[in-house]
Amino acid sequence: MKTREFGVTGRRVPVIGQGTWNFPATKSEIESARKALRTGVEHGMTHIDTAEMYGNGASEEIIGNAIYDLPRRNLFIVSKVLPSNASKKGTIAACERSLKRLGTDYLDCYLLHWRGSFPLSETIEALEKLIDDGKILSLGVSNFDVDDLQEALKFASKPLACNQILYNLHTRGPERNIIPFCEQRKIAVVGYTPFAQKTPFAVWYRRW
Ligand SMILES: NC(=O)c1ccc[n+]([C@@H]2O[C@H](COP(=O)([O-])OP(=O)(O)OC[C@H]3O[C@@H](n4cnc5c(N)ncnc54)[C@H](OP(=O)(O)O)[C@@H]3O)[C@@H](O)[C@H]2O)c1
């Protein structure tokens, strides 16, 4: 599996991550998702992306069940706080709930899922406290435009490790501003929805 440095963290991380947004609901489907995740990890796909939002915590629980006996240091686990929880206290509490569901002591990177109504300064302060407390190794954001990134950088005293954004062959706008801005500052760009979900483009791409 090809790896790349994850921004300022300097960690080499597989360039293809295992996304866990659309987790199934039935018992047998959950078991098959757990096995799929584990098989992925065994084949080098050790970068796992989740969020408290996914299945309202269920995604994190399934990941926890899939990885509980694997060497933690080999995994790169990313989760995200919902904007509605992203106050100073709320971010810390959300992270602690995520850690519990995942059955781990720390996250490799923790992101603000998208901008909401809590001041960015408050969320960043909480993320930095989580680093100081050893609960996360790095902090990041998601769905941030250049303006949002500039604002975040103003408040942050620790480096921003990543910006997770919508990026695929159909949505290449980030190539104009966001990606160059991030590259200049060593912020890892993680593209989500690489197959563009069920849009006509995805159908075309699959036929092709
Ligand atoms: N930060 C954020 O705001 C955010 C937002 C969205 C997603 N994410 C992350 O990114 C991950 C991936 O996102 P996504 O589910 O939206 O990704 P996606 O690129 O849309 O991938 C899933 C879709 O791709 C289709 N697909 C799978 N293999 C394919 C292939 N070989 N050729 C063509 N199509 C194929 C699947 O179809 P079938 O259903 O038929 O298998 C499914 O509809 C999520 O799980 C999550 O971790 C983050």
Side-chain angles (χ1 to χ4, degrees):
M1 174 67 57
K2 189 176 166 188
T3 60
R4 205 171 163 176
E5 269 189 19
F6 197 87
V8 287
T9 69
R11 298 266 307 275
R12 290 207 75 84
V13 172
V15 292
I16 301 177
Q18 298 206 67
T20 63
W21 162 62
N22 202 2
F23 257 94
T26 70
K27 225 173 157 187
S28 73
E29 285 170 345
I30 288 172
E31 178 52 17
S32 124
R34 193 189 69 80
K35 282 190 184 149
L37 256 171
R38 216 179 147 91
T39 305
V41 170
E42 284 162 6
H43 287 79
M45 294 181 68
T46 50
H47 175 186
I48 299 173
D49 180 76
T50 187
E52 61 171 337
M53 187 187 106
Y54 301 167
N56 205 13
S59 157
E60 292 176 326
E61 275 170 14
I62 295 169
I63 295 166
N65 286 331
I67 57 139
Y68 75 97
D69 59 344
L70 299 175
R72 177 65 183 87
R73 67 182 175 282
N74 293 349
L75 302 169
F76 193 90
I77 303 178
V78 180
S79 191
K80 315 182 194 79
V81 59
L82 271 170
S84 52
N85 286 335
S87 63
K88 181 158 184 214
K89 270 191 179 165
T91 301
I92 290 167
C95 180
E96 278 163 1
R97 288 194 298 270
S98 289
L99 291 175
K100 199 163 174 209
R101 286 190 290 260
L102 286 159
T104 184
D105 295 337
Y106 67 93
L107 295 169
D108 296 277
C109 194
Y110 194 42
L111 320 180
L112 172 60
H113 210 146
W114 65 90
R115 277 199 80 166
S117 54
F118 286 108
L120 201 46
S121 55
E122 221 183 284
T123 313
I124 296 210
E125 211 186 319
L127 293 172
E128 293 191 339
K129 174 150 178 32
L130 286 166
I131 293 185
D132 292 340
D133 293 347
K135 292 183 177 163
I136 66 173
L137 300 186
S138 63
L139 66 92
V141 293
S142 177
N143 298 300
F144 267 40
D145 219 326
V146 168
D147 290 353
D148 302 317
L149 288 166
Q150 277 168 331
E151 202 181 325
L153 288 170
K154 257 194 331 210
F155 300 125
S157 62
K158 300 188 195 299
L160 219 57
C162 112
N163 184 21
Q164 187 177 124
I165 51 169
L166 176 65
Y167 181 49
N168 54 48
L169 287 174
H170 188 240
T171 306
R172 296 183 58 189
E175 288 172 13
R176 272 198 298 274
N177 296 321
I178 302 177
I179 294 177
F181 183 93
C182 289
E183 278 177 347
Q184 281 159 20
R185 288 157 185 83
K186 252 193 138 188
I187 300 171
V189 174
V190 176
Y192 70 72
T193 309
F195 289 112
Q197 289 181 346
K198 299 270 186 195
T199 59
F201 168 77
V203 173
W204 168 80
Y205 185 68
R206 194 179 295 211
R207 282 192 193 128
W208 177 76

